[in-house]
Structures are given as C-alpha cells and as structure tokens.
Amino acid sequence: MREIVIISGKGGTGKTSLTAAFAALAKNSVLCDADVDAADLHLLMQPVIQQMADFMGGSKALINPDLCTSCGTCIDLCRFGAISEQFQVNAIRCEGCGVCVDFCPEAAIGFPVQRCGEWYISDTRFGPMVHARLGIAEENSGKLVSLVRKEARQLAEKRGADMIITDGPPGIGCPVIASIGGATALVIVVEPTVSGIHDMERVVDLAAHFKVPGMVCVNKFDLNVEMTEAIEKLAIRRNIAVLGRVVFDPAFTRSMVEGKTLFEYGEPTATRQQVLDIWTQIIKSPSMNTLGIVDLKSTIQ
Amino acid sequence: MIISIASGKGGTGKTTISVNMALALGAGVELLDCDVEEPNAHLFLKPKIERSEKVEVPIPLVDLDKCTFCKKCSDICRFNALAVVGKQVLVFQELCHSCGGCMAVCPEGAITETGRELGFLNFGARDGIGFINGRLRVGEAMSPPLIKQVRAAANPQRITIIDAPPGTSCPVIAAMSGADFILMVTEPTPFGLHDLKLAVEAVRLLGIPCGLVINRADIGDRKVFDYAEKENLPILLTIPFDRRIAEAYSRGKNIVEEFPEWRQRFTELFRKIEVIITERGGAAHA
Ligand code: SF4
Ligand code: SF4
Ligand code: SF4
Ligand code: SF4
C-alpha cells in the first residue's frame, strides 16, 4: 500500500490545507491524520465517526496511602522527581517507568494503565479517514501515531484503496519519526522564510536518516522569491524532487473558515491549478511508481 | 520571572513574539529557545554563539563478565529497551528512558551507565540579551529531556523568555511548567482556535495564568475573540496581517527593528504581563 506523508518541520506552512486539497483530488484513498497532538484535518473534512476506541498508553504510578510506611525508597529511586514529600505521585511528571512500583517494600504502589486519548474511523465526503485525539499533556504521541497509521493501512487494504494520504505532525521528534517510518514518500511543505529553509534541512536530514524519499513544494512562494529559489536549489542538491510552487492566497484561510477545501471554495483559480499540478507530479513521481509504470492515474478526479 | 510563549498550532508567530519582546526589553533578559526539534529563534535574534555543550542522557552499559543473564533488567524495563538473548544483553538505546531501573535491579552490579547523545545546547548573547537554545540530534525521538536541560541552564537572575514548541503534549509541558505566565500566540482561524482551546486546557492543568496575542488578527473570523471573552482570557496584543511584516520575517528581519513604532507595543505587552503576575502574588522567581 502506498502512503504519502505530508510534513513540514515548521508548523503553519499550510500543510493541513494542502493535505485536504490533495484529499479532494484523490479518488480512491484513505485519509490519515497523524498530527495527533494538534489534529486539524477534521475541521475541513467534517468526518462522521463510524467507529471509536480508547487509546491506552503507558501506566502511571499511584501510591496507596493506607499501605505506605513513608520509607522514602520510591522518592530516592524516581529519576523524574515525580513523587512529593507527602508521597503523592505527580501524574504529569511520572514517566511510567514503574521502578518505584517494583521497589516499594510494602507493595503500596499501583500502576494503572492510562487512557491517553481516543481514535476514530470515520467517513468523509472524500472517503474514509482515520484520526485521533491525544489527551492534553499526554506522552506516547509516537505510539498513537503508529496506531492510526496501522489502522489506516488495514482499512486501505480492506477497501482496496490506491493509497493513503497522511497529514504528519510538525517537528523532527518522536511523533514525526513514528509518522514517516515505512512511508512511500514524504511531501515536505516549506514556506520561503529563513526559518522555513532551516527547518526543511532538518526534515530532509531526518528523511535521509530513515531512508524515505522526499519531495518538496514551496507554499506562499511569492512572499520571498529568492528564498523560494534557494529552497529549490537546496532540494536538488539533496536529491529531493521539486514539485512546484503555490502562491500566497487568502483563499486558503477563507475556505478554512467555511470548513471547505480549496477545491470546494469559490471559482476555479490559478492557485487551484498550481495545487493540481503538484498533485499530478506526486502521482507521477518515481517514488510513488517504483516499477517505472505510472499506474496511479485513476487517483485524480 | 519566567514567561513561556506557546501556541497549540505551529506557525502562529511564537518565535516572532519571543524575539521581538526580548529585543524590546533589551539587556537583562534571557531568551531560551525550547523548540529543540526546530529551533528558529537564533535566525532572528542573531546572537553571537559563544559556546556549545553536548547533552547526553544516561543509558545502561552491561558488563557481560559479571552478568548471569537472570533477565531481571529486561523484566523491569517498561520501555522494551533491554533484551536478554542467550549470552547477550541487548540495549536498544533509542527506546531507553533513562529511568535507572535496570541498574537498580541488577543483583550482580553488572550495569553501569554511559551516555546517549540527545543534542546540543548553544549559549550566546546579543546586546546584553542572553540566549540559549537546544538542538535535538536528527533521528533522536525524545525532546523533553533536552528541553529540561535548556531550562536548567537559564540564569534565574534574569527575566526568562521561553520560545516553546507547538502542540500540547510532553515537550510543551516541559517548556511551560514552572513558568510565571504563559503567553499564547494564536491566529483567528478555525485551526488556530481549535489548537488554542487545547493549549488553554494544558495551561489550566498546570495552573499558570495566561493571556493571548492574536497574530494576523484580521484574517479569518471573530471566533477566537469570542472565545477569549467567554473564557476570560485577556488579549494583550493584536497584530494585523501586513504583507510587509510577512516579507520582513521571510528575510529574518524583526518587527521592532523594521517598524520602530512596534517597540513600544512589545514593551507594553511585557508591562501588562508583569501586572498580571504581580496581581497573582508575584513571580516565583527573581
Ligand atoms: S516505597 Fe512504598 S512504602 Fe516506601 S514511601 Fe514509597 S510508597 Fe511508601
Ligand atoms: S513510575 Fe517511575 S517516574 Fe513514575 S513515579 Fe514511579 S519511579 Fe517516578
Ligand atoms: S539484571 Fe544484571 S545480571 Fe541479570 S541479566 Fe541483567 S545485567 Fe545480567
Ligand atoms: S534505564 Fe530504564 S528505560 Fe533504560 S534500559 Fe534501563 S530500565 Fe529500561
């Protein structure tokens, strides 16, 4: 199953708006929102939830005061400063290592599994979607990302979809690593700013580290054309395919306000054509067609 | 005094606000870039970096001569970072959370600790403004321990401004906890509002006072303003969308330098924060 993951390193580059626009163009795909920490794709997709399940993450320590003799062993052993002088566990600080649980001489510490969020399989006007919501201040976002991607893959196989379109998280840390491993290709959305190019380099390094082919498109390119050129040069130097440019267009924000994708808002525009060209490039790219035969034609509506 | 600048959604202008506030206040403040996955503040503050320090976290090192392959270490490890296979103990470094459990449990004293490189801390300054950032090694998954190191390196005598990572999960919590005030930067769009609500929930969980900066205040709709009113969140600054600001930003230029009238507004932003902190009983730190 082919999966493209749309990431950006830096947030706010228009990654989710573009993902939604691609979803509107793809005919037979499964959508996956892997930005579980600040999931936004559903605001444009208005998914109708068909199936919902709890996401059980790690466990956290819980001291039973009736059994505790205040011996202090747990405080000495906890490397995360999660146990107070009053022998209470601070759930936000607790890393879930369970060391205190195993060493408490009175067996006074329980280790209940935590419900860290929930995940959903939904229907949208562009096909099925797998998404999730991580609880506030939770850990284990990488684990939840892996889970939604696995579910999206199963669903795509079951429904005979051509591909999975995944909206990835920002950054280069644990959730991003979980969202790119095993992907067919990454589409990196960059904005032409000093921070945009800086963050793109880090994402390109990450893609190289995990050996996932990358492609890049510059959004809002007209804010700084020189920087756009610098980004494209960098991409070529790093062996990253350049997909194209999208103009700075307030229509993205306006369509977002209406809960629509770019292709459902207003009249056809030059911006739409740019996005369509980029999508065509993605579909035809060698990374998506490893046998050299372009067999994804059917995925453009 | 510690002010942490956060936003649920990325790209709303956290770094812009952090850097411009630091520049407006000038000497005596210290800017910490805690967005260690994608640190950007140095691109705008342009500090002179004076030194760098490698940051490591402890991971176990097993002395096979002492080991009896009893498997106690792999049993205690909740993160599957250790496996005893035949006459080998495998350490999966990248899964280790450095809890020290294996070392504590080993009956033979066969486990000591060595380091895994998390990334770097960089120290610098510009015009008396102190600067520290953390840079996560590419391929490293765990940012919170590095963020904690950036925080630990701060000078408590100074006003600390923290540029936090986006989101609401553990890295953000590491950048917000213990702050005297959290300034949320948002934009008035459905994405901005949705992510702001999550971030406000996180701040309330920590029990820290907070206020808003609304960036690109005239794009999108009014729902963020309505939300702020309903939730009693003070709007401390609004910045209209201005293509000149966006273009200056794209070249690494700062608002207070390009448009001097903004210097005053950023100083006022800080004064308003100071008043709120004082009303709440003062800063927990100098
Ligand atoms: S180790 Fe157990 S008995 Fe000792 S202080 Fe901790 S909880 Fe109480
Ligand atoms: S489980 Fe680990 S982190 Fe949590 S309180 Fe116990 S020792 Fe500390
Ligand atoms: S606990 Fe110590 S002795 Fe037992 S397998 Fe682990 S390293 Fe070896
Ligand atoms: S330090 Fe903790 S997480 Fe790391 S290997 Fe040992 S038990 Fe596992």
Side-chain angles (χ1 to χ4, degrees), chain A residues 61 77-78 80 82-83 89 93-101 111:
Chain A
L77 283 170
C78 179
F80 304 94
I83 303 173
V89 177
R93 287 206 181 155
C94 176
E95 186 86 2
C97 68
V99 173
C100 59
V101 179
F111 203 43

Side-chain angles (χ1 to χ4, degrees), chain A residues 8-13 16-17 37-44 77-80 92-93 95-99 101-103 111 133-141 170-177 191-196 198-200 202-203 205-207 209-210 222-224 227 248 253 256-259, chain B residues 8-12 36-40 42-44 58 75-79 97-105 113 135-143 148 166-173 187-192 194-195 197-199 201-202 205-206 219-221 223 241 243 246-247 249-252:
Chain A
S8 66
K10 180 175 162 18
T13 58
T16 301
S17 293
D37 191 359
D40 285 334
L41 190 60
H42 66 279
L43 297 171
L44 298 180
L77 283 170
C78 179
R79 286 201 173 168
F80 304 94
I92 293 180
R93 287 206 181 155
E95 186 86 2
C97 68
V99 173
V101 179
D102 285 32
F103 277 90
F111 203 43
R133 192 190 154 156
L134 186 69
I136 300 296
E138 284 297 350
E139 294 162 27
N140 290 304
S141 55
I172 59 162
C174 127
V176 186
I177 290 173
E191 59 173 36
T193 61
V194 289
S195 42
H198 173 266
D199 294 352
M200 166 190 162
R202 310 241 307 152
V203 170
D205 286 345
L206 190 73
H209 187 95
F210 289 99
D222 52 322
L223 282 182
N224 190 331
M227 190 62 80
F248 175 81
T253 303
M256 188 205 293
V257 168
E258 292 191 14
Chain B
K9 181 179 176 330
T12 54
V36 300
E37 294 181 41
E38 299 289 15
N40 284 156
H42 64 288
L43 299 169
F44 298 92
D75 287 345
I76 199 173
C77 182
R78 261 48 177 216
F79 306 104
H97 284 234
S98 310
C99 69
C102 51
M103 193 164 74
V105 81
E113 287 184 311
R135 247 183 122 74
L136 191 70
R137 177 175 59 82
V138 172
E140 169 62 53
M142 289 174 206
S143 59
K148 287 178 190 159
T168 59
S169 62
C170 41
V172 191
I173 300 301
E187 57 181 35
T189 64
F191 290 2
H194 176 261
D195 298 350
K197 286 181 181 168
L198 299 177
E201 273 186 63
L205 206 64
L206 294 171
I219 65 166
D221 55 17
K223 293 209 177 88
F241 176 76
R243 203 177 160 109
E247 286 175 0
Y249 170 86
S250 80
R251 299 191 306 273

Side-chain angles (χ1 to χ4, degrees), chain A:
Chain A
M1 181 56 58
R2 279 168 281 210
E3 180 187 17
I4 55 162
V5 181
I6 294 117
I7 56 169
S8 66
K10 180 175 162 18
T13 58
K15 168 181 68 67
T16 301
S17 293
L18 281 173
T19 306
F22 294 156
L25 292 171
K27 200 190 267 167
N28 186 22
S29 65
V30 167
L31 287 173
C32 172
D33 192 349
D35 189 356
V36 298
D37 191 359
D40 285 334
L41 190 60
H42 66 279
L43 297 171
L44 298 180
M45 293 296 137
Q46 288 99 27
V48 180
I49 295 171
Q50 302 295 324
Q51 202 184 316
M52 179 174 140
D54 284 340
F55 165 59
M56 305 307 285
S59 301
K60 287 198 166 153
L62 188 66
I63 297 176
N64 179 346
D66 297 337
L67 298 177
C68 173
T69 57
S70 310
C71 72
T73 305
C74 53
I75 297 184
D76 292 345
L77 283 170
C78 179
R79 286 201 173 168
F80 304 94
I83 303 173
S84 71
E85 297 290 331
Q86 292 76 41
F87 305 102
Q88 276 172 343
V89 177
N90 176 331
I92 293 180
R93 287 206 181 155
C94 176
E95 186 86 2
C97 68
V99 173
C100 59
V101 179
D102 285 32
F103 277 90
C104 170
E106 309 298 332
I109 310 182
F111 203 43
V113 179
Q114 305 291 307
R115 186 184 159 278
C116 295
E118 43 194 39
W119 62 273
Y120 324 90
I121 294 180
S122 300
D123 280 339
T124 77
R125 58 196 185 283
F126 304 116
M129 170 167 168
V130 182
H131 50 127
R133 192 190 154 156
L134 186 69
I136 300 296
E138 284 297 350
E139 294 162 27
N140 290 304
S141 55
K143 220 164 143 185
L144 183 53
V145 168
S146 304
L147 177 73
V148 292
R149 282 185 68 210
K150 191 182 98 215
E151 293 294 334
R153 188 160 292 253
Q154 279 174 6
L155 190 67
E157 271 156 17
K158 206 166 79 193
R159 306 259 178 116
D162 284 336
M163 67 158 93
I164 303 163
I165 302 177
T166 300
D167 188 8
I172 59 162
C174 127
V176 186
I177 290 173
S179 73
I180 68 174
T184 314
L186 302 180
V187 174
I188 307 169
V189 181
V190 187
E191 59 173 36
T193 61
V194 289
S195 42
I197 194 170
H198 173 266
D199 294 352
M200 166 190 162
E201 273 204 87
R202 310 241 307 152
V203 170
V204 169
D205 286 345
L206 190 73
H209 187 95
F210 289 99
K211 303 193 171 54
V212 186
M215 306 184 249
V216 66
C217 73
V218 182
N219 192 16
K220 314 178 202 172
F221 81 90
D222 52 322
L223 282 182
N224 190 331
V225 178
E226 277 163 42
M227 190 62 80
T228 297
E229 282 162 6
I231 287 167
E232 290 169 349
K233 271 198 201 120
L234 172 71
I236 292 163
R237 204 168 67 235
R238 298 293 308 264
N239 211 1
I240 300 277
V242 176
L243 293 166
R245 302 171 171 187
V246 181
V247 73
F248 175 81
D249 187 344
F252 278 110
T253 303
R254 285 196 212 113
S255 58
M256 188 205 293
V257 168
E258 292 191 14
K260 290 178 175 167
T261 67
L262 186 69
F263 289 91
E264 298 163 286
Y265 175 83
E267 300 297 311
T269 56
T271 318
R272 277 197 201 177
Q273 189 59 44
Q274 290 162 354
V275 176
L276 177 62
D277 290 347
I278 287 171
W279 181 243
T280 312
Q281 291 286 328
I282 294 172
I283 296 305
K284 289 210 269 184
S285 67
S287 335
M288 291 295 279
N289 302 278
T290 35
L291 297 174
I293 310 158
V294 179
D295 58 352
L296 280 169
K297 278 200 204 76
S298 63
T299 58
I300 298 186
Q301 285 191 340

Side-chain angles (χ1 to χ4, degrees), chain B residues 152-200:
Chain B
N155 177 349
Q157 303 305 317
R158 293 181 140 193
I159 295 166
T160 307
I161 297 176
I162 297 175
D163 186 3
T168 59
S169 62
C170 41
V172 191
I173 300 301
M176 298 198 306
S177 57
D180 297 300
F181 191 85
I182 292 167
L183 186 61
M184 307 271 221
V185 186
T186 186
E187 57 181 35
T189 64
F191 290 2
L193 176 61
H194 176 261
D195 298 350
L196 172 67
K197 286 181 181 168
L198 299 177
V200 168

